[in-house]
Amino acid sequence: MTANDLTQRRGRAATIADVAKLAGVATSTVSRALSNPARVNHVTRQRIEEAVGQLGYVPSAQARSLTSGRTGVVGVLVPDIANPFYFDLIRGAQRQLRAAGYAQLLLDTEESHEIESSMVELMLKNADGVVLAASRLDDETLTAAAARQPLVTINRDVPDVPTVILDTPEGMRQTVVHLRSLGHTRAVFVAGPSGSWSSARRWEALLAAGEELGVEMTMIGPWAPTAAAGSAAADAVIASSATAAVVFNDLLAIGMLGRLQERGVRVPLDLSVVGCDDIFGASFCNPPLTTVSAPIEEAGRVAVTMLLSQLGSAGGSRSRTVLPTYLTTRESSGPAPT
């Protein structure tokens, strides 16, 4: 039987069984020849290689994982692939993975607990490990997932789960110091999603700094972390009578700037606005946005390095890394109105 007979009759991609039949050997012999050639004698190996070439057989990732125990793939899950915050994180993770010989499988969890949970489950069979950015999963689910496969979180601190933390609470403290120095005594926090661990930490830091420095802090929200949600958030800020708004992320803050302009609110003469993340675009919106800057690409690299240490592909074994943040002042913040 020829290679053409096999592929045409079956009308599908060649399988390992097709290779075995054409080479006249058992499928287990083909598997050994592909995963560990030294275990198969030269003549048999040559027949198998010829059959592979004739059939155009390509081993699937799942088949390779059965023989090697590895897929060569790492899943990187982010809540919103359209959010520029994740661009540098994805780039940093991919560069580190490529240098180690791994492929990155990028997945958008759409800010959904259910989607993220199902994708983590899927990665058990299709990836060697997982990096979860800003996870919406509860602590118990994350702990269980980390016990089943190598896993690292970014901006989500759970006991016994390796993590990379961006120290945005320190950036929030610097923000309150900045606003107080400009004469602001009433500020509002425009909160992120209700399930966001980062939003809760930022609010706690703002409250503590406000009490220390004499700035009355209130919170409105939750809001989706998108520019589209900025219009409604801006209306709520105007109604609050605060003289400054500290916003969960830059996308939401940039959306607010457009609405504030429509409403005739001058930034920063009437209201100061401070964002968080320093995403691409924050420096050339109108006005340029004061924001908390973070080493986002470094977070992606460090998370991958920590994951590779679990996979035995890198030295060291850190379980928690904290990266510093700092306030970048631009034209969206100014003296409190008299």
Side-chain angles (χ1 to χ4, degrees):
M1 181 173 291
T2 66
N4 286 337
D5 290 335
L6 282 169
T7 54
Q8 288 178 5
R9 189 182 70 177
R10 299 184 182 184
R12 55 172 171 75
T15 67
I16 194 171
D18 296 334
V19 175
K21 188 167 186 176
L22 187 60
V25 298
T27 56
S28 58
T29 304
V30 176
S31 178
R32 281 197 303 275
L34 296 177
S35 63
N36 193 350
R39 294 178 59 194
V40 179
N41 72 66
H42 173 73
V43 175
T44 303
R45 188 169 69 243
Q46 189 172 13
R47 287 210 315 274
I48 291 171
E49 289 171 355
E50 289 173 355
V52 167
Q54 290 181 55
L55 291 167
Y57 172 68
V58 179
S60 68
Q62 189 173 18
R64 286 195 298 269
S65 70
L66 290 173
T67 57
S68 68
R70 294 287 173 86
T71 65
V73 172
V74 166
V76 176
L77 280 62
V78 300
D80 181 6
I81 202 171
N83 186 339
F85 171 79
Y86 296 108
F87 293 172
D88 286 342
L89 188 152
I90 293 165
R91 184 182 298 112
Q94 179 166 296
R95 287 174 175 170
Q96 200 76 358
L97 285 168
R98 186 169 61 244
Y102 283 83
Q104 174 176 271
L105 178 59
L106 180 61
L107 299 169
D108 184 350
T109 61
E110 303 176 30
E111 298 283 354
S112 166
H113 173 282
E114 291 77 14
I115 293 175
E116 182 179 356
S117 179
S118 65
M119 287 184 176
V120 169
E121 192 69 25
L122 183 65
M123 290 300 96
L124 279 171
K125 299 177 181 178
N126 295 281
D128 297 332
V130 178
V131 173
L132 292 177
S135 176
R136 301 294 187 250
L137 300 179
D138 57 54
D139 290 3
E140 292 76 15
T141 302
L142 280 172
T143 301
R148 297 164 68 191
Q149 76 172 135
L151 183 149
V152 175
T153 61
I154 298 176
N155 263 7
R156 181 61 193 280
D157 203 0
V158 177
D160 301 321
V161 178
T163 188
V164 179
I165 301 296
L166 295 172
D167 189 13
T168 46
E170 171 57 23
M172 293 294 104
R173 192 192 70 80
Q174 293 179 22
T175 296
V176 177
V177 171
H178 171 65
L179 292 174
R180 188 67 185 88
S181 73
L182 294 171
H184 294 275
T185 57
R186 296 192 317 279
V188 61
F189 175 53
V190 183
S194 58
S196 170
W197 179 81
S198 294
S199 186
R201 291 181 76 228
R202 291 169 196 180
W203 170 236
E204 291 170 2
L206 288 169
L207 270 181
E211 291 177 4
E212 176 187 348
L213 298 168
V215 178
E216 180 185 345
M217 294 295 312
T218 56
M219 180 173 66
I220 60 171
W223 305 96
T226 63
S231 292
D235 290 340
V237 170
I238 293 170
S240 73
S241 75
T243 61
V246 183
V247 189
F248 170 71
N249 75 348
D250 288 348
L251 273 184
L252 187 55
I254 290 170
M256 288 176 56
L257 291 178
R259 178 60 173 169
L260 291 170
Q261 187 175 41
E262 290 176 3
R263 293 283 304 269
V265 177
R266 300 167 299 170
V267 176
L269 295 178
D270 302 323
L271 177 73
S272 288
V273 177
V274 179
C276 188
D277 297 335
D278 201 7
I279 63 171
F280 177 78
S283 62
F284 50 81
C285 57
N286 185 27
L289 187 64
T290 294
T291 185
V292 175
S293 300
I296 303 170
E297 183 169 338
E298 183 181 356
R301 293 198 307 269
V302 171
V304 167
T305 299
M306 293 170 65
L307 185 70
L308 292 176
S309 71
Q310 297 182 55
L311 295 171
S313 301
S317 57
R318 288 175 289 176
S319 61
R320 191 174 191 272
T321 301
V322 179
L323 300 178
T325 65
Y326 57 92
L327 183 69
T328 298
T329 57
R330 299 191 182 105
E331 285 83 352
S332 70
S333 59
T338 57

